[in-house]
Amino acid sequence: GENVEQHPSTLSVQEGDSAVIKCTYSDSASNYFPWYKQELGKRPQLIIDIRSNVGEKKDQRIAVTLNKTAKHFSLHITETQPEDSAVYFCAATPPGYALNFGKGTSLLVTP
Amino acid sequence: EAGVVQSPRYKIIEKKQPVAFWCNPISGHNTLYWYRQNLGQGPELLIRYENEEAVDDSQLPKDRFSAERLKGVDSTLKIQPAELGDSAVYLCASSLYSLTGIGNTIYFGEGSWLTVV
């Protein structure tokens, strides 16, 4: 089955800096790559996703890049704010299967 | 529009006792998932339904876990008997079935927090 590795497990940045979280996947058939944000005690919520027919997608301060050849994808958050502090999960799925999640990155943005 | 609804939100039980969780997906979503999330970890799939059919239950510990989605809408996940290691958050999620074969957005409920003592 699909195996998703996520790095780093913790990340601390100063407000206004950029944050980058990286994930690799094992199944070359995977074609959908969402990113979820989970605040303490809350449900995971989708913040951005990318499908295998594009290499990059941007939504305001958040962007995701996908390298299918290398089987890795990354989340980029620019101009970080304290409210960006949360745990971020990447996921991947081949067609017809459920999402496989990484172990998460705990992001702390300090003022 | 209501999101994915789960109950109970919190449950504390003694080991060897049974427990059940209920989930009502977003209206019209025919795919329903149960995930388990241990502290500090990502969600792990237990079972996935397409309508009333369980299409992936390979990760469900069938000796003590069971699930049903009889009418293809709401679902129940049961653990009997519970063990200490079952303490986790049980997340229900739903999505529309993907006709293109490329994933659709999965929406999660708030989760049912289980503590087994």
Side-chain angles (χ1 to χ4, degrees):
Chain A
E2 176 63 274
N3 182 45
V4 178
E5 304 257 350
Q6 184 171 348
H7 301 279
S9 56
T10 61
L11 179 60
S12 182
V13 300
Q14 286 209 311
E15 183 176 2
D17 288 349
S18 295
V20 180
I21 303 171
K22 299 182 179 181
C23 290
T24 60
Y25 60 99
S26 61
D27 191 339
S28 57
S30 287
N31 60 4
Y32 178 58
F33 308 91
W35 286 87
Y36 283 79
K37 176 183 180 182
Q38 188 175 31
E39 297 176 348
L40 191 63
K42 301 287 189 180
R43 73 183 81 193
Q45 292 196 297
L46 180 75
I47 56 171
I48 194 167
D49 58 10
I50 191 167
R51 291 170 170 81
S52 59
N53 54 345
V54 297
E56 185 173 353
K57 184 177 178 181
K58 189 173 181 180
D59 182 4
Q60 299 183 342
R61 298 186 296 109
I62 295 173
V64 58
T65 59
L66 171 65
N67 183 326
K68 287 188 63 180
T69 303
K71 290 191 284 189
H72 68 70
F73 56 114
S74 300
L75 177 71
H76 304 253
I77 306 174
T78 59
E79 300 172 28
T80 53
Q81 301 167 3
E83 50 265 39
D84 294 330
S85 296
V87 179
Y88 291 81
F89 294 97
C90 63
T93 182
Y97 289 85
L99 290 178
N100 293 279
F101 286 85
K103 293 188 182 299
T105 296
S106 180
L107 173 65
L108 177 64
V109 181
T110 55
Chain B
E1 178 181 312
V4 177
V5 178
Q6 291 188 244
S7 68
R9 286 295 318 277
Y10 306 95
K11 191 76 175 179
I12 301 174
I13 62 171
E14 292 184 342
K15 62 181 180 182
K16 301 184 182 179
Q17 293 302 305
V19 64
F21 306 113
W22 176 81
C23 172
N24 194 37
I26 292 173
S27 178
H29 282 194
N30 45 11
T31 305
L32 183 146
Y33 313 78
W34 283 102
Y35 281 87
R36 177 169 60 188
Q37 187 174 25
N38 291 308
L39 190 63
Q41 300 292 316
E44 296 176 328
L45 181 72
L46 291 173
I47 190 168
R48 175 170 65 103
Y49 283 93
E50 295 289 352
N51 299 306
E52 65 275 8
E53 182 183 1
V55 296
D56 184 357
D57 63 356
S58 58
Q59 301 303 310
L60 189 72
K62 297 181 184 64
D63 57 336
R64 297 183 300 106
F65 286 65
S66 64
E68 59 182 17
R69 194 186 184 198
L70 294 176
K71 297 182 179 179
V73 180
D74 58 344
S75 176
T76 302
L77 176 70
K78 297 179 182 177
I79 308 174
Q80 182 172 11
E83 297 179 352
L84 295 177
D86 296 331
S87 296
V89 180
Y90 291 84
L91 291 164
C92 180
S94 70
S95 68
L96 289 169
Y97 177 74
S98 173
L99 295 175
T100 64
I102 300 179
N104 282 333
T105 300
I106 292 179
Y107 298 88
F108 284 90
E110 292 286 4
S112 291
W113 294 60
L114 174 65
T115 300
V116 182
V117 297

